[in-house]
Amino acid sequence: MNEKNDRAAWIKARGARCSLPAKPRAFPPRLILLGAPGVGKGTQAELLCAEMRVCQLSTGDVFRAAKSLCPAERSPAINEALGCMECGELVPDEIVLTLIRERTHCLRCRGGFLLDGFPRTVPQAEALTELLAQEHLRLEAVLNYTLPLAILVRRLSGRRTCADCQAVFHVSSRPPHVADRCDHCGGKLGQRADDQPEAVHVRMAAYVHSTKPLIEYYADHGLLRTISAEGEPERIYERTLAILDA
Ligand code: AMP
């Protein structure tokens, strides 16, 4: 039995069984990570998931996985989503919400969950609130990571991602042990199309326009916890744990 998290059921949805031995918990962690592209949400999600044994549920991962499907397997909606993603634009809410509804089983997980990259707009957040209420599930907190824009752009341009397992590295702050190879699975590291300079610009604009209003939405719901994302991932992680303990 896989003692680590099993994200296959999230990535593939229909037909994929989860092998996570989800131990029922009195208070399963149910968290959302917010923050601009490049703020380091993915790295914090990995660290939190390893500690809490919950799954990192990333909508970006689902779209990236869909890229490797052959054209006949891709629905028109997925093709539209991939087109948006390539240029750094947000995928339309309806497509994202369909994908989330197909994966409600992951939200019900008795071990909890960690949403990374969803919700990204207020309508997505409202739909999630409704879905969780229908399922009688309660969010624990929304962690909002913050960092100045200039540092964000530097982080994104140096980011390298494993083509196979999606692990994230950085040319200077988190280099792999072997150049261009993933430390975890040996897969080839590359720069995501949406980490190219033009796409980064579009993504930042999308963040300011669509995702920043979420901060107010979750503050109003009393769930927002703001964390500085300056410094090494380990320091940011310590701040995260301190916030969660509090
Ligand atoms: P990420 O890996 O979270 O940065 O997502 C990569 C890309 O996938 C984004 O730039 C969007 O094009 C798309 N995407 C992922 N999640 C969402 C979402 N919740 N809403 C809209 N677009 C999304």
Side-chain angles (χ1 to χ4, degrees):
M1 172 94 65
N2 179 9
E3 274 296 313
K4 282 190 75 202
N5 304 319
D6 178 6
R7 287 158 69 195
W10 169 257
I11 302 275
K12 295 196 187 128
R14 285 187 211 99
R17 297 241 342 238
C18 182
S19 65
L20 176 72
K23 296 189 186 93
R25 292 170 162 173
F27 302 103
R30 296 195 188 99
L31 302 169
I32 293 177
L33 301 194
L34 283 189
V39 81
K41 293 190 299 292
T43 306
Q44 293 305 307
E46 270 180 40
L47 295 169
L48 282 166
C49 289
E51 166 127 353
M52 298 178 166
R53 297 271 168 98
V54 293
C55 278
Q56 173 189 359
L57 307 181
S58 152
T59 37
D61 281 353
V62 175
F63 293 130
R64 278 183 286 281
K67 244 168 132 174
S68 58
L69 296 175
C70 65
E73 286 177 304
R74 292 187 196 162
S75 65
I78 280 294
N79 280 330
E80 186 182 344
L82 295 181
C84 296
M85 194 177 118
E86 293 260 306
C87 14
E89 287 165 14
L90 290 187
V91 173
D93 287 340
E94 258 329 295
I95 298 180
V96 177
L97 291 171
T98 302
L99 176 154
I100 294 291
R101 290 191 188 104
E102 285 170 359
R103 290 164 173 78
T104 308
H105 55 276
C106 286
L107 300 180
R108 279 189 216 117
C109 180
R110 294 179 302 170
F113 60 74
L114 203 161
L115 284 169
D116 166 18
F118 173 84
R120 252 190 170 88
T121 64
V122 171
Q124 289 182 18
E126 288 168 344
L128 177 66
T129 302
E130 204 176 303
L131 184 59
L132 292 178
Q134 278 164 15
E135 297 289 333
H136 307 288
L137 299 171
R138 208 175 62 91
L139 266 185
E140 184 179 337
V142 177
L143 307 180
N144 176 35
Y145 292 93
T146 59
L147 202 60
L149 186 68
I151 306 182
L152 287 170
V153 173
R154 214 179 311 137
R155 278 200 188 172
L156 284 177
S157 55
R159 186 157 79 170
R160 298 293 178 268
T161 306
C162 174
D164 295 336
C165 75
Q166 310 299 325
V168 176
F169 298 83
H170 192 277
V171 286
S172 52
S173 62
R174 206 183 181 204
H177 291 121
V178 177
D180 298 330
R181 287 284 154 199
C182 176
D183 288 354
H184 308 295
C185 72
K188 186 155 173 43
L189 300 185
Q191 191 173 32
R192 284 166 34 176
D194 60 351
D195 282 346
Q196 309 282 341
E198 309 76 49
V200 166
H201 183 74
V202 178
R203 287 166 75 196
M204 288 300 172
Y207 172 73
V208 171
H209 178 255
S210 305
T211 311
K212 259 195 158 173
L214 282 183
I215 293 168
E216 206 171 308
Y217 177 88
Y218 283 118
D220 288 348
H221 283 69
L223 289 166
L224 195 75
R225 309 284 180 269
T226 299
I227 302 169
S228 161
E230 297 218 31
E232 294 300 306
E234 291 72 19
R235 299 288 86 73
I236 307 166
Y237 183 56
E238 282 167 12
R239 276 175 229 142
T240 304
L241 291 185
I243 290 269
L244 288 176
D245 280 349

